[in-house]
Amino acid sequence: MSSFRFEQHGAVGKLILLGDAASEPGADYPSSLRAGVRQAYESDIRVLHVTSASGSFAIADNPGDIGGKGSKFLEAFAADVLASLRAIEELPIPTVASVGGMALGGGFELLLACDFLVAAESAHLFFPEGMVGGVPMTGGVQRLADRVGSARATRLVLLSEMISGKAALDLGVATHLAPDAELEKVTEDLLQRLANGPTLAYGKMRSLIRAWSSGGVSAADVITLQVTAGILDTKDGAEGMAAATAAIKNGEPIPQIQFSGR
């Protein structure tokens, strides 16, 4: 069975981790993830939702096909996964992850590759690798540090401390917190807002944030004009600016603008 399935629902794409906590992930996890990301890239979606059929992104006590195959297998496995996580980050559309249960190790790393993370109050996230002499191998350490700072990341990763849903929001790991019963609604509201937003502008803003993350303000400054060039020549940019200009001239609030994603 494939570890992931891609679905398209109008402007919203869903990359779904299949199975239950005891079977995540299998040996096909890298290839299945790569195929799902490629389908997302080739589609005409305007936002991608990374979710799980079980509500959790976890490796259970028995890691199944991964454990026991040696370092070389694990290193190749991790390299393939990391390439797919970078591909998710480089999609030209916003990405949203949601978690209602546990997110452990590689599952947590997958969530950290997304722009937005909606966590249920009862969600728990952590890296258990340090407890067993291992290291998170698909980018989670650095992405967690990027969100919470080096001191907090050091504590959370080296001591394998559990992060509750509320703590995830307070620390900046999660962008949204939802009561358990409202996780689906909060996530769907966010997805619809992004799916109906100025998709091209979102992509350009995400590029600037990535440039800042890797090289600071100076790196982002260098590419700012290149990235933002032509934005007012797009349909959304031209119509949005025209509507805003007219409203300001008339002393009216800027209206709700209907964006086409073009």
Side-chain angles (χ1 to χ4, degrees):
M1 184 177 81
S2 179
S3 292
F4 287 92
R5 180 176 70 243
F6 174 76
E7 297 177 355
Q8 182 170 352
H9 302 270
V12 178
K14 291 188 177 293
L15 185 59
I16 306 167
L17 179 61
L18 304 173
D20 54 31
S23 60
E24 299 170 0
D28 79 318
Y29 184 98
S31 60
S32 180
L33 176 59
R34 182 168 61 249
V37 175
R38 179 168 182 169
Q39 286 180 278
Y41 187 85
E42 293 174 347
S43 73
D44 60 353
I45 60 173
R46 293 169 65 183
V47 62
L48 177 67
H49 179 204
V50 176
T51 185
S52 168
S54 70
S56 293
F57 295 80
I59 299 174
D61 291 338
N62 178 6
D65 293 337
I66 300 174
K69 289 197 172 182
S71 290
K72 291 300 183 183
F73 173 86
L74 185 58
E75 289 161 13
F77 183 99
D80 283 348
V81 173
L82 184 55
S84 291
L85 299 190
R86 290 181 63 86
I88 289 174
E89 293 173 328
E90 292 168 3
L91 286 169
I93 56 172
T95 55
V96 177
S98 61
V99 57
M102 300 287 288
L104 312 180
F108 189 8
E109 291 179 293
L110 173 60
L111 302 185
L112 289 171
C114 296
D115 299 320
F116 297 89
L117 173 55
V118 185
E121 289 179 345
S122 65
H124 287 86
L125 309 92
F126 86 116
F127 288 118
E129 287 86 348
M131 300 170 63
V132 297
V135 179
M137 294 177 66
T138 56
V141 174
Q142 50 270 39
R143 284 165 177 78
L144 183 64
D146 195 43
R147 295 195 182 206
V148 307
S150 62
R152 285 174 172 164
T154 299
R155 172 177 170 177
L156 295 169
V157 176
L158 270 63
L159 300 181
S160 295
E161 290 194 358
M162 188 84 70
I163 308 170
S164 69
K166 184 177 185 309
L169 181 69
D170 292 342
L171 290 168
V173 177
T175 57
H176 296 72
L177 180 68
D180 290 3
E182 297 180 23
L183 177 62
E184 186 173 338
K185 180 183 184 305
V186 171
T187 304
E188 185 61 27
D189 287 348
L190 176 59
L191 289 168
Q192 290 304 316
R193 178 175 178 179
L194 294 168
N196 290 289
T199 307
L200 297 179
Y202 284 160
K204 292 175 183 294
M205 288 185 276
R206 292 174 70 250
S207 293
L208 292 174
I209 292 170
R210 287 199 305 275
W212 165 83
S213 181
S214 62
V217 172
S218 295
D221 282 350
V222 168
I223 68 165
T224 293
L225 294 182
Q226 176 186 351
V227 168
T228 59
I231 189 61
L232 293 186
D233 297 328
T234 65
K235 184 175 187 296
D236 285 343
E239 292 180 355
M241 181 59 71
T245 300
I248 292 169
K249 273 187 179 179
N250 296 326
E252 300 170 350
I254 297 175
Q256 185 77 38
I257 299 169
Q258 299 298 312
F259 295 110
S260 65
R262 299 192 299 275

